[in-house]
Amino acid sequence: MPMFEILDKKELAPHIKWLRVHAPLVARAAKAGQFIILRLHEKGERIPLTLFKWSKDEGYIEIVFQEVGKTTYELGTYEIGDKIMDIVGPLGRPTEIENFGNVVVVSGGVGAPIGYAVARGLKEAGNHLTVIAGFRSKDFVILEDEFSEIADELLITTDDGSYVRKGFTTDVLKEYIEAGNKVDFVFTVGPVIMMKFIADITKKYRIKTVASLNPIMIDGTGMCGACRVRVGGEIKFACVDGPDFDAHQVDFDELIMRLKQYQNEEEVAMKRYLKKGGC
Amino acid sequence: MAKKIKKKRIAVPEQDPYARIHNFNEVSLGYTWELAIEEASRCLQCPYPSPCMKGCPVDVNIPGFIKKILEKDIKGALEIIHATNSLPGITGRVCPQEQQCEMNCIMGKVGDKINIGKLGRFVADEARKQGIYPSTPSVEKKGKKVAVVGSGPAGLTAAADLVKMGYDVTMYEALHEPGGVLIYGIPEFRLPKNIVRYEVKFLKMLGVNVITNVVIGKTFSLYELLNEYDAVFLGTGAGTPKLLNLPGVNLNGIYSANEFLTRINLMKAYKFPEYDTPIRKGKKLAVIGGGNVAIDAARCALRIGYEEVYIIYRRTREYMTAREEEIIHAEEEGVKFMFLVSPVEFLGDENGNVKVIRLIMNELGEPDSSGRRRPIPIPGTEFGLEVDAVVFAIGQKPNKVLYQEVPELKTTEQGTIVVDEKYRTTLKGVFAGGDAVRGEATVVLAMGDGKKAAKAIDEYLSNGYPWPDKIEPAKF
Ligand SMILES: Cc1cc2nc3c(=O)[nH]c(=O)nc-3n(C[C@H](O)[C@H](O)[C@H](O)COP(=O)(O)OP(=O)(O)OC[C@H]3O[C@@H](n4cnc5c(N)ncnc54)[C@H](O)[C@@H]3O)c2cc1C
Ligand SMILES: Cc1cc2nc3c(=O)[nH]c(=O)nc-3n(C[C@H](O)[C@H](O)[C@H](O)COP(=O)(O)OP(=O)(O)OC[C@H]3O[C@@H](n4cnc5c(N)ncnc54)[C@H](O)[C@@H]3O)c2cc1C
Ligand code: SF4
Ligand code: SF4
Ligand code: FES
């Protein structure tokens, strides 16, 4: 089978797609919390995506991505049988999985697939697992079945209340803690602003919290410094020192600012892509 | 009357500075046949070992190949160079010849030194144009496997030599394209990428298995390689950029040189939006540093449209580590040099974009460990420089992805891999060379290491895998 051929594809929700890709070298070494970097074609940029699932024996990896700009939209047009030019990985340090006791995984939006890989690892390590998964609205709820298979408790919430309940993940976490549930460890992944507020809450309750960060990356091997984040006042490279960091030490505001670095250029690329009838 | 030898060096045609700052085409156009012969005829053909050869880290038989140029025998010239240097198209362009082969050229006593670099380049270019490869005698396979990690000049050279000795060689590269700094760092206008690709193609023709998109330490561990191969060579370079942890250093528009150059060279951001990778555009850009990397970043900045480009260096011009030719090229192109200044802080706008660098003046004090006079800030001399982007080119340290999980592999305080004079590391069967053991050095030194390490690997595999109990660190 040719490298990086797309084996299967599904649309999980509007603009959220799932792919299974032949990538045996990545699959054989993958661990929860790690990611890949892909390049679609000769003119493509390199973008990071987290490993959702993988099979060492069958040599495939699965990714879930949201169409937000040029590259992710273009990837969304790739069909079964199409090939991605380059995939490198697994990159980053795996999430440190231990038996902490009672753990809560808080994911927002397309943070869900990353949260899933880590949640599964935490469950396998013997933790009591609670998953709090937030989505914009009913249409955007993904991975509900997958989460319910592994979680002892699954708390879904939607921003607009169109499914299960109304509220942000921060509201749910606060209620959960205030109801007297013992929480030994929190893992959070999703929009940066959400992770920032989750960290604020758990800091108050002194709960060890790890956030999975998503800065802009190029090489993913510690060579360029594009992915630098400030953690405890020090400069860290998320691709090799992370992507997981102690959420109470992360400078989230700086990360938010750095993610907007190419906003204008991203718009240019997207408009040009749409004009060419890209999708 | 005896033929009079020209004292003056034959000039190499170059693109006009006004034209070239608007394109990424090569600046130096190289000799034509006519000019090459004229320059070659200035060489005195000093007896072996000629003074020039003593300055070349890979022992190129310089008078030998120059003679072949005069005989118009390109294949012969190429084969003489290739006997010790498998990347002449590259060294001819990027070697600091003035400190190496050309430094000792006898002609310097009576006139200009021979332009050895450009003659080497001429041979490689002419051969490539005509599709000539050096002939490679077929060797008996040794039935042993060697893995090479990293495809920069150290890895490329080690792989070429090992495959020529009859080993099965697999080269692993983390990026999507082989070449190391040659492909992602040194810009197109100094080293066209098709030259690097040509050399890689030759390597593949020799039988080296080149595998990209594999990070050793992630995709495979070093231990796994040791299980599968009889020996491993690490040519992983010094790819991790240093940054100063000054206030505002993470503002948008502040790049490491590696990021800036990788976006431009490897990802072709200068062709955005035809290519997908963007780069920040603006009017004013400042590069911090005084080496080749700083000059490359500054000249790239001009070419992507910056109108005012500054090089901010904490010492004076004479202490700059960049090659003289490149400094001159940068001056011709209008790069502005600010000496004896260092950054203290970066200020941004409300969206986090860098707008001003605060700088401080220095004076030179006593020489430091590098023998260069140490810059000392002068209190009260701070001032601001308006900018739209900043590039840090203040040095690199080895990339540690590979050995994060290999405690047996000893490194120095600077993070370089400890090796002895035979390039052996503290892990049996693992050799290392190039920037990974030297810290930032040069292409030709990395090649020299690759070559000598290949020899040491051959010795190791031929003599029944002996390994010393204690590795005596070699000085480079
Ligand atoms: C370690 C890591 C793991 C990731 N895993 C996933 C994943 O599993 N699924 C997934 O959908 N996305 C993931 N991302 C984010 C993904 O890489 C970006 O969405 C993608 O690079 C956008 O590329 P684009 O060309 O489509 O959009 P662009 O045109 O580059 O950007 C469009 C919009 O997306 C925002 N954006 C750009 N880069 C990022 C980023 N790195 N993170 C968040 N927003 C960004 C921009 O601000 C802009 O508003 C991950 C990022 C990192 C660093
Ligand atoms: C911008 C710039 C300009 C320069 N200009 C000059 C010049 O004009 N003249 C000169 O002589 N020198 C110059 N140098 C220095 C020269 O390029 C280096 O000394 C030389 O490239 C070092 O070669 P190397 O083979 O040791 O490593 P590199 O060229 O750094 O190659 C190392 C390779 O290993 C790969 N790698 C690293 N870790 C792993 C891993 N774990 N798994 C797989 N692959 C890995 C990297 O991706 C990279 O491709 C310049 C350097 C820079 C950055
Ligand atoms: S390899 Fe470099 S130092 Fe040696 S002769 Fe060629 S240009 Fe000169
Ligand atoms: S030292 Fe100069 S003149 Fe003598 S052989 Fe070398 S290049 Fe020619
Ligand atoms: S992505 Fe380049 S250093 Fe992390």
Side-chain angles (χ1 to χ4, degrees), chain B residues 42-47 50-53 62-63 66 101 104-108 113-114 116:
Chain B
R42 295 175 57 235
C43 170
L44 303 174
Q45 291 290 317
C46 305
S50 58
C52 51
M53 282 185 72
I62 295 164
I66 291 182
C101 50
N104 303 322
C105 172
I106 239 35
M107 267 300 283
K113 296 166 180 176
I114 304 298
I116 301 168

Side-chain angles (χ1 to χ4, degrees), chain B residues 55-58 60 62 85 91-92 95 97 100-101 116-117 444:
Chain B
C56 170
V58 291
V60 169
I62 295 164
N85 170 2
T91 49
C95 264
Q97 290 100 3
Q100 295 178 341
C101 50
I116 301 168
V444 70

Side-chain angles (χ1 to χ4, degrees), chain B residues 295-313:
Chain B
I295 302 269
D296 282 346
R299 298 175 68 199
C300 280
L302 287 173
R303 284 164 174 77
I304 60 172
Y306 283 90
E307 291 160 18
E308 274 176 54
V309 176
Y310 296 89
I311 285 198
I312 291 175
Y313 184 51

Side-chain angles (χ1 to χ4, degrees), chain A residues 37 216-228 237-240:
Chain A
I37 286 187
I216 294 172
M217 295 186 177
I218 303 178
D219 58 301
T221 66
M223 184 268 275
C224 74
C227 64
R228 62 193 194 267
F237 288 4
C239 68
V240 284

Side-chain angles (χ1 to χ4, degrees), chain A residues 28 43 70 224 254 261-262, chain B residues 224 250 253 256 274 276:
Chain A
R28 58 177 282 293
K43 295 182 178 177
K70 157 89 206 285
C224 74
E254 190 182 82
Q261 173 127 242
Y262 295 103
Chain B
E224 284 174 297
N250 287 354
S256 76
E274 181 197 345
D276 292 342

Side-chain angles (χ1 to χ4, degrees), chain A residues 28 43 45-46 70 86 89-90 92-93 221-224 226 228 230 233 254 257-258 261-262 265 272, chain B residues 176 213 218-220 224 239-241 245 249-250 252-256 258 272-274 276-277 280 399 401:
Chain A
R28 58 177 282 293
K43 295 182 178 177
E45 65 179 334
R46 295 170 62 104
K70 157 89 206 285
D86 298 294
R93 287 174 182 264
T221 66
M223 184 268 275
C224 74
R228 62 193 194 267
R230 205 177 280 272
E254 190 182 82
M257 170 195 97
R258 285 184 63 78
Q261 173 127 242
Y262 295 103
E265 291 84 356
R272 182 172 180 273
Chain B
H176 57 255
N213 292 319
K218 294 289 172 194
T219 318
F220 296 107
E224 284 174 297
T240 294
N245 196 351
V249 69
N250 287 354
N252 291 334
I254 301 183
Y255 291 99
S256 76
N258 273 1
F272 179 85
E274 181 197 345
D276 292 342
T277 305
R280 175 162 297 237
N399 193 330
V401 184

